[in-house]
Amino acid sequence: MKDIMTAPFVKEMCETTANMYRLYWDERNGGNISYLLHEDEVAEYLDTTKVIRTFDTGFEAPDLIGKYFIVTGSGKYFKNVEKDPEDNMGIIRIAEDGTTAELLWGFKDGVSRPTSELPAHLMSHQARLKVDPENRVVLHCHPTNILAMTYVHELDAKKFSHTLWEMSTECIVVFPEGVEVLPWMLCGTNSIGEATAEKMQNARVVLWAMHGIYGAGKDLDETFGLVETVEKAAMIYMKIAHLPKVNTIQDSELKELAEYFGVDYRKDYLEA
Ligand code: 13P
Ligand code: ZN
């Protein structure tokens, strides 16, 4: 059996959490990631018959039975993942009952558990897999500018998406479906999980007002890039929102961009 510390998915999680921390997206224990792993990928490094502990997730995820995820731990700091992956992350499998998570590796202190946002993660995985069977990542974090923007911009998905698209030329190409927005809700609950998953049917980005962002994608790089692009657009907005706007990207130009790059964009979000 190979050493799990050399597994590409462990290394990628270390790199991603470190990058997110350095970008101020994940203060203290802020943020969490879940990454769907294939059984054969896990079996190269672990005896999948050995369950260390189990957790009651408190909800049912029938579509995820038998699926494996590497997840960050509740209360764990992204700052520390790289120096001690086995303490800060775990590999879980959803058991036959669809509600128990079986720990196969990690959380080595013996008491830690997966992120408190597991409902939002697993429910979002279920929702995204229905739309895109290739989706493997759900990532949550607290990027400074997107969070700031939810304090000063109307929380309407169409208006929010349009503003973000206007903030840089690549936006409509990177997230042509726009972003979905939830009002402030209590985090860590099944309710916010259900609301997030519902929005995830329409878009890979769901904003949690006054809290942060959820992003989904095929792999860590793509999902990181998606959040990075949204956050960069929000950064531009926060730099210019208080200044007189002299120029912008017109709707006709956004349409031109989307058509040139052949992306399936929300046409109803443009006036053109
Ligand atoms: P966890 O430490 O439980 O992952 O929670 C962090 C967070 O961002 C809550 O929304
Ligand atoms: Zn959070």
Side-chain angles (χ1 to χ4, degrees):
M1 201 137 303
K2 295 192 211 163
D3 176 4
I4 193 157
M5 292 304 172
T6 66
F9 52 82
V10 171
K11 286 186 173 174
E12 274 180 80
M13 287 289 281
C14 290
E15 282 165 15
T16 306
T17 47
N19 282 331
M20 292 171 75
Y21 171 68
R22 288 188 194 104
L23 287 166
Y24 299 102
W25 297 0
D26 297 280
E27 73 292 341
R28 200 174 182 275
N29 66 309
N32 22 75
I33 306 179
S34 57
Y35 178 12
L36 176 65
L37 304 174
H38 299 308
E39 181 161 27
D40 47 358
E41 201 176 15
V42 178
E44 282 184 48
Y45 303 93
L46 294 176
D47 176 352
T48 55
T49 63
K50 284 207 176 120
V51 175
I52 304 169
R53 282 185 282 142
T54 59
F55 313 100
D56 179 9
T57 65
F59 61 94
E60 287 193 10
D63 300 352
L64 302 181
I65 291 172
K67 295 214 182 304
Y68 295 77
F69 296 90
I70 184 164
V71 292
T72 52
S74 186
K76 301 293 187 181
Y77 294 19
F78 273 26
K79 176 171 74 71
N80 299 336
V81 174
E82 200 168 30
K83 59 179 183 219
D84 197 349
E86 196 176 353
D87 185 55
N88 292 287
M89 297 191 289
I91 293 177
I92 57 168
R93 175 178 55 209
I94 305 305
E96 282 304 311
D97 62 3
T99 178
T100 304
E102 301 171 322
L103 181 69
L104 303 173
W105 172 83
F107 303 139
K108 70 174 183 197
D109 60 9
V111 291
S112 292
R113 47 182 297 130
T115 171
S116 60
E117 302 294 4
L118 204 61
H121 279 259
L122 295 188
M123 291 178 196
S124 293
H125 275 286
Q126 285 200 133
R128 286 309 306 167
L129 284 169
K130 286 200 180 103
V131 185
D132 174 11
E134 305 271 285
N135 194 95
R136 293 179 68 186
V137 173
V138 173
L139 177 157
H140 164 63
C141 54
H142 307 161
T144 313
N145 295 285
I146 201 75
L147 222 158
M149 193 171 159
T150 65
Y151 283 84
V152 297
H153 193 285
E154 258 184 274
L155 300 175
D156 170 79
K158 176 176 175 175
K159 289 181 184 159
F160 217 106
S161 301
H162 192 278
T163 303
L164 290 171
W165 284 349
E166 266 184 277
M167 291 303 112
S168 101
T169 295
E170 67 170 346
C171 284
I172 196 167
V173 181
V174 176
F175 50 100
E177 75 272 47
V179 299
E180 291 286 345
V181 188
L182 286 180
W184 186 91
M185 289 178 76
L186 187 61
C187 56
T189 60
N190 286 355
S191 310
I192 201 167
E194 284 155 12
T196 308
E198 200 198 319
K199 300 283 186 198
M200 279 276 177
Q201 293 169 358
N202 309 326
R204 292 161 300 151
V205 173
V206 180
L207 304 179
W208 283 8
M210 285 74 79
H211 183 140
I213 187 169
Y214 266 76
K218 292 186 190 358
D219 55 39
L220 282 168
D221 240 14
E222 185 192 275
T223 315
F224 182 92
L226 177 66
V227 170
E228 193 177 28
T229 308
V230 173
E231 168 61 1
K232 176 71 176 278
M235 190 191 290
I236 311 286
Y237 179 81
M238 294 309 296
K239 281 186 186 292
I240 65 161
H242 58 293
L243 300 171
K245 194 157 76 173
V246 179
N247 305 302
T248 195
I249 308 172
Q250 304 297 334
D251 276 17
S252 59
E253 293 165 335
L254 289 170
K255 182 170 181 263
E256 197 182 337
L257 265 168
E259 283 174 359
Y260 181 75
F261 286 96
V263 293
D264 185 15
Y265 68 107
R266 283 291 298 250
K267 296 177 184 60
D268 55 326
Y269 283 7
L270 296 182
E271 299 306 327

